[in-house]
Every structure is written in structure tokens, then in C-alpha cells.
Amino acid sequence: MCRYDACALTSLLKSLSLIADTTRVRLLLLLKCEELSVAELQEVLSLPQSNISAQLSKLKAAGLVSDRRSGKNRLYRLEEPDRKQIEFWEHFLALLESAGDEIREVKKDSHALKVVLQKRERTAQAYFDALAGKFGRHYIPGRSWKGLGEALLKLMPPLVIADLGAGEGTLSQLLAQRAQQVIAVDSSENMVAYGADLAKQHGFTNLEYRLGDIENPPIEHGSVDLVFLSQALHHAQHPALALRAAFALLKPGGRIIVLDLLKHQFEKARELYADVWLGFSEAELHEMLSDVGFQKVQTSIVHRESRSPHFQTVLAIADRP
């Protein structure tokens, strides 16, 4: 005896034909995890809005997706089956997961979804972003970003810090005011010599400059509490190797902080600034850090330059378990 009636079989065949399309599979897997708007789906999938809307329309007509109004947005979710369709639905979800296993973009979608959900939680940051936009717009005696930064540094516990791709070491010298030890690594002999001379002039006995590559830094494994990669990762030939090296340097419970350019299209940066990579998206950083083994990965956009080409700075923070 057939396990499904004619109506159920028709529904099954229609659903199977819909998941023959890669984009629809990716959409359904995302909506299985979270209720999302078209704009959020566009950010995750990096596809045109018209394409996503057209696919959602087909999925909604087939009864696989439903939507609801939330303020100015319309949120989409995977439709919940009624009791008569539970068995069919379980089989369909199993087929959907199997189809997803064959699509390499699905893993990237998972990381991009985490970034989108993190952005949802940044309601407080929106307030501080607005405040930062006013900070320094009007003169107030004694108020400066440098003063605020110096004060915050004093709150930092004394740590062993690796500043990878340190350049002349401006950040290293700021960190050395409070750190137990700072090891500044750079591949330029001139930068290392210049930074070491500055450290000596300023009396930093806890700041050491070392010549080396950020993909294989000359630092003992498991000896560092905090790794900084400030505007250095886009100069690496193999960014994933640099992050893997950073992971190896850290003690269990250590942390990595990456400040870099958000992905852009300013090709002249390769010639002007010797950039190997044109920045990284939040999802790319999230994926690379997770693949290396870092946990509690968080990303955010922390700055946008007012002048063309309007470079933006992305911040990523993660912990070594």
C-alpha cells in the first residue's frame, strides 16, 4: 500500500523539483535556521535582491515558506507542516540536508548567517556609533581619542602580547605601557630597526622587535596571551596560515584581535600600498577564524573613511579554547 495519498505524492514531487535548484536549497537551509528578511538573505547569499525575491515567491507558492510583516520588513521562515504532513516533512528535510551537503557555498552561508545575526544584536552599538559621529565634531578642551585610548589601555591587565605585522610599532608602543611583554614582528628589516630604536629611546624594556613573517612568526608556541593583527592580514600571501600561526602562539584561553580593511574594489591598493588582498568580508573572517579553531568569533564594522575610496575597517575578535 502506498505510504502517501495522491495529493501528498504530488506535493512531494513538486517540492523535490524545487530543491533541484542550488539557490533554493541555500534559502531553505537558512530559513530552517532563522527567520530572515530579504535584505539579510541578500547579505548572506551575495545574490541580487530580484533573484532572491523570485525564488522566495516560488517557495511560498509551494507552501514551503511563509512570511510576516515586522515593521518595515517582511520576514521569511520555513513553513511548519500540519500533523498530517509530519512524515512527509521529515523526509523532505532529510533530502534538503543531503542536497546541502553537496553545495560548497552552504558552509560559507553558515558563517555569513552568524555575522548577520550578530548585527541584529548590536542595538547598543548603533547608539555608540551615533555618539562617535559627534565625538570630536565640536571642540571641547582636553577631549581627544588619544586621551581616551590611553585611559582604556590602563585598564588592560598585564599580558604577553604579539603584534604581528607591527610596522614601525606605534600600536606596540601603546600596548607596552601596560603589557607584561610585547613582541613586535615585522618582515621589513628597516621597520624592525626603526621600531627597536624608538623603543630604546622611549625606555620600553618590555618591548622587543623581531624580524619575521606573520605566517611563521619567531615566537614560542603557547607563550602569548593576546595576538594583534592590525592592518596586516591583507598583506599576507596566505591569510589562513597567518591565523593558524596566531592560534599556535596563544595560550589556552588566549585571544586574537584582527583589525583589517573591509572587502573593497579599489584595485589600485595593490600598487599603492602593496596590498595582496582587497580586504575581507565579515563572513570571510568569521569562516577563516572558525576553521583554524577559534571560538566565540565576533565581527563588526568599526570605521568608515569619509574620503574616497571610503575604506572601512572591520574588527574581528575570537578566543582560543
Side-chain angles (χ1 to χ4, degrees):
M1 182 176 180
C2 181
R3 298 175 65 185
Y4 301 110
D5 58 26
C7 182
L9 282 172
T10 300
S11 179
L12 175 61
L13 290 173
K14 188 175 182 181
S15 298
L16 289 176
S17 68
L18 285 170
I19 63 171
D21 180 86
T22 299
T23 300
R24 290 195 286 268
V25 172
R26 294 169 69 190
L27 279 168
L28 288 169
L29 288 172
L30 287 168
L31 297 177
K32 178 175 176 287
C33 297
E34 191 69 37
E35 191 177 45
L36 298 165
S37 68
V38 171
E40 289 172 328
L41 287 166
Q42 186 179 5
E43 184 172 353
V44 172
L45 298 172
S46 297
L47 293 173
Q49 180 180 340
S50 57
N51 187 349
I52 293 173
S53 295
Q55 301 294 5
L56 286 172
S57 179
K58 292 179 181 179
L59 294 172
K60 185 178 177 183
L64 296 175
V65 164
S66 60
D67 63 351
R68 68 180 179 87
R69 176 70 65 179
S70 177
K72 296 180 180 180
N73 294 319
R74 187 168 293 279
L75 298 178
Y76 292 83
R77 64 180 181 274
L78 199 64
E79 183 62 280
E80 296 182 3
D82 58 36
R83 292 182 179 179
K84 295 180 180 178
Q85 295 178 308
I86 290 294
E87 187 178 1
F88 154 71
W89 195 248
E90 289 176 349
H91 285 106
F92 174 74
L93 290 180
L95 288 170
L96 183 65
E97 294 286 349
S98 296
D101 290 340
E102 302 298 320
I103 302 172
R104 60 185 179 86
E105 290 89 353
V106 166
K107 182 182 177 183
K108 295 182 182 295
D109 293 346
S110 177
H111 290 286
L113 176 61
K114 290 177 182 178
V115 170
V116 165
L117 296 180
Q118 285 177 0
K119 287 184 177 181
R120 279 191 184 179
E121 297 172 0
R122 293 179 196 151
T123 53
Q125 182 165 346
Y127 165 76
F128 287 112
D129 283 346
L131 182 63
K134 298 174 183 176
F135 192 92
R137 189 170 293 175
H138 304 289
Y139 173 71
I140 295 179
R143 184 176 72 175
S144 70
W145 282 115
K146 184 178 185 299
L148 179 60
E150 295 274 2
L152 292 174
L153 279 171
K154 297 297 186 291
L155 301 176
M156 185 181 73
L159 304 172
V160 178
I161 302 173
D163 184 7
L164 304 183
E168 63 187 37
T170 302
L171 176 60
S172 295
Q173 292 184 57
L174 285 171
L175 295 171
Q177 295 180 44
R178 180 66 178 170
Q180 176 184 334
Q181 181 187 14
V182 177
I183 304 169
V185 176
D186 200 88
S187 59
S188 166
E189 290 187 23
N190 290 340
M191 285 289 191
V192 170
Y194 181 78
D197 186 56
L198 276 181
K200 185 177 180 180
Q201 289 180 34
H202 295 155
F204 288 118
T205 58
N206 62 337
L207 173 54
E208 180 186 354
Y209 284 80
R210 298 181 186 177
L211 182 66
D213 193 304
I214 64 173
E215 295 180 21
N216 186 26
I219 301 174
E220 182 183 352
H221 287 189
S223 64
V224 171
D225 299 300
L226 177 65
V227 169
F228 261 102
L229 280 158
S230 180
Q231 300 302 339
L233 198 60
H234 64 265
H235 291 292
Q237 292 295 324
H238 307 96
L241 291 183
L243 295 178
R244 190 175 301 279
F247 186 90
L249 301 184
L250 286 166
K251 302 173 184 177
R255 173 167 286 189
I256 186 172
I257 297 177
V258 178
L259 278 168
D260 215 287
L261 294 178
L262 187 67
K263 199 164 192 174
H264 60 88
Q265 302 300 322
F266 187 63
E267 286 286 343
K268 288 185 179 179
R270 301 186 191 276
E271 179 183 349
L272 293 173
Y273 313 118
D275 290 2
V276 179
W277 300 86
L278 298 181
F280 306 95
S281 70
E282 290 185 76
E284 286 171 335
L285 283 175
H286 197 292
E287 181 178 3
M288 285 193 294
L289 288 164
S290 298
D291 285 349
V292 167
F294 285 104
Q295 297 180 356
K296 299 180 181 178
V297 181
Q298 299 179 54
T299 65
S300 58
I301 309 302
V302 293
H303 182 65
R304 184 179 188 273
E305 295 183 4
S306 57
R307 294 182 179 181
S308 180
H310 306 295
F311 288 125
Q312 297 182 74
T313 301
V314 59
L315 167 68
I317 301 175
D319 295 342
R320 172 173 179 165

